[in-house]
């Protein structure tokens, strides 16, 4: 039996709605599949960042293999940093940095189903004029997409580099 008054229940739901309407201005989003070895590179970056002190207004999200849900996660942000594995036909552990102008290249380097979600989410947000102005995409060349958890040594080293790059990006945030 619910013993709370209607007013107290309304008070509890109001802040949640406000949080959904105004997400933190900066998002760091990692995507990938932890069951496919180096495909988890973006998730491993996120796991490491979640353990570090970050500037106020920064949200770090494990996007896993979500598809179109990414639109809601990205929408309303001022700056978005996305980390994922990309097939760039380079040596394992190579790191690439893309801006919004190179998003078509990211689509061509997609290596799994979730990449369609990232690219399509950005495409639809652009069409609805909701795309954040500042988007940075870090891609890491996988060495293995075998069915097991754990990164290859080359990609593990690349994850550490990308963490440093993201932390540097977060030092240069504009005032909100």
């Amino acid at each position: 039996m619910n013993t709370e008054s209607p007013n107290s229940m309304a008070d509890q739901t109001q802040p949640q709605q406000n949080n959904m309407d105004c997400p933190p201005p900066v998002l760091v989003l990692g995507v990938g599949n932890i069951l496919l070895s180096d495909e988890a590179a973006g998730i491993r970056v996120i796991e490491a960042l979640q353990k570090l002190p970050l500037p106020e207004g920064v949200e770090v999200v494990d996007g896993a293999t979500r598809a179109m849900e990414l639109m809601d996660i990205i929408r309303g942000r001022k700056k978005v940093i996305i980390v994922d594995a990309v097939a760039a036909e380079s040596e394992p552990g190579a790191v690439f940095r893309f801006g919004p102008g190179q998003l078509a290249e990211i689509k061509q380097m997609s290596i799994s189903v979730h990449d369609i979600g990232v690219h399509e989410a950005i495409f639809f947000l652009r069409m609805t004029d909701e795309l954040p102005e500042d988007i940075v995409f870090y891609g890491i060349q996988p060495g293995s997409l075998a069915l097991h958890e754990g990164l290859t040594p080359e990609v593990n080293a690349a994850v550490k580099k990308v963490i440093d790059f993201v932390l540097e990006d977060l030092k240069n945030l504009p005032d909100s």
Side-chain angles (χ1 to χ4, degrees):
M1 178 175 170
N2 186 353
T3 58
E4 297 182 47
S5 71
N7 286 341
S8 67
M9 291 178 68
D11 291 342
Q12 291 175 1
T13 58
Q14 189 63 33
Q16 291 174 349
Q17 290 174 346
N18 286 341
N19 286 340
M20 291 176 62
D21 291 341
C22 294
V26 180
L27 170 68
V28 183
L29 174 67
V31 290
N33 186 333
I34 62 168
L35 300 177
L36 298 177
S37 189
D38 293 340
E39 230 281 311
I43 303 302
R44 301 305 179 214
V45 169
I46 295 305
E47 291 171 345
L49 289 172
Q50 288 173 334
K51 298 174 184 170
L52 300 174
L54 298 175
E56 188 175 327
V58 175
E59 183 177 20
V60 178
V61 174
D62 174 351
T65 56
R66 297 179 202 176
M68 297 308 288
E69 293 174 52
L70 297 176
M71 285 177 44
D72 291 332
I73 296 170
I74 295 171
R75 181 180 288 124
R77 312 294 181 139
K78 290 184 179 177
K79 180 179 183 72
V80 176
I81 300 171
I82 301 171
V83 183
D84 194 7
V86 295
E89 299 182 12
S90 188
E91 70 276 1
V95 175
F96 301 89
R97 187 178 195 271
F98 301 95
Q102 293 92 25
L103 292 177
E105 294 175 42
I106 296 169
K107 173 74 174 168
Q108 293 170 357
M109 291 188 274
S110 294
I111 59 173
S112 65
V113 174
H114 79 270
D115 289 328
I116 293 170
V118 170
H119 188 269
E120 296 300 326
I122 290 171
F123 174 78
F124 284 115
L125 289 170
R126 178 177 281 155
M127 285 184 59
T128 58
D129 202 26
E130 298 174 290
L131 187 66
E133 289 181 27
D134 190 358
I135 295 182
V136 174
F137 186 99
Y138 286 103
I140 300 174
Q141 174 70 50
S144 171
L145 298 176
L147 183 60
H148 73 89
E149 292 187 46
L151 303 175
T152 60
E154 297 87 359
V155 171
N156 192 42
V159 163
K160 292 175 183 168
K161 288 180 192 173
V162 171
I163 292 167
D164 290 340
F165 292 148
V166 170
L167 291 173
E168 194 62 33
D169 287 344
L170 295 177
K171 286 181 184 173
N172 300 313
L173 294 176
D175 294 332
S176 48

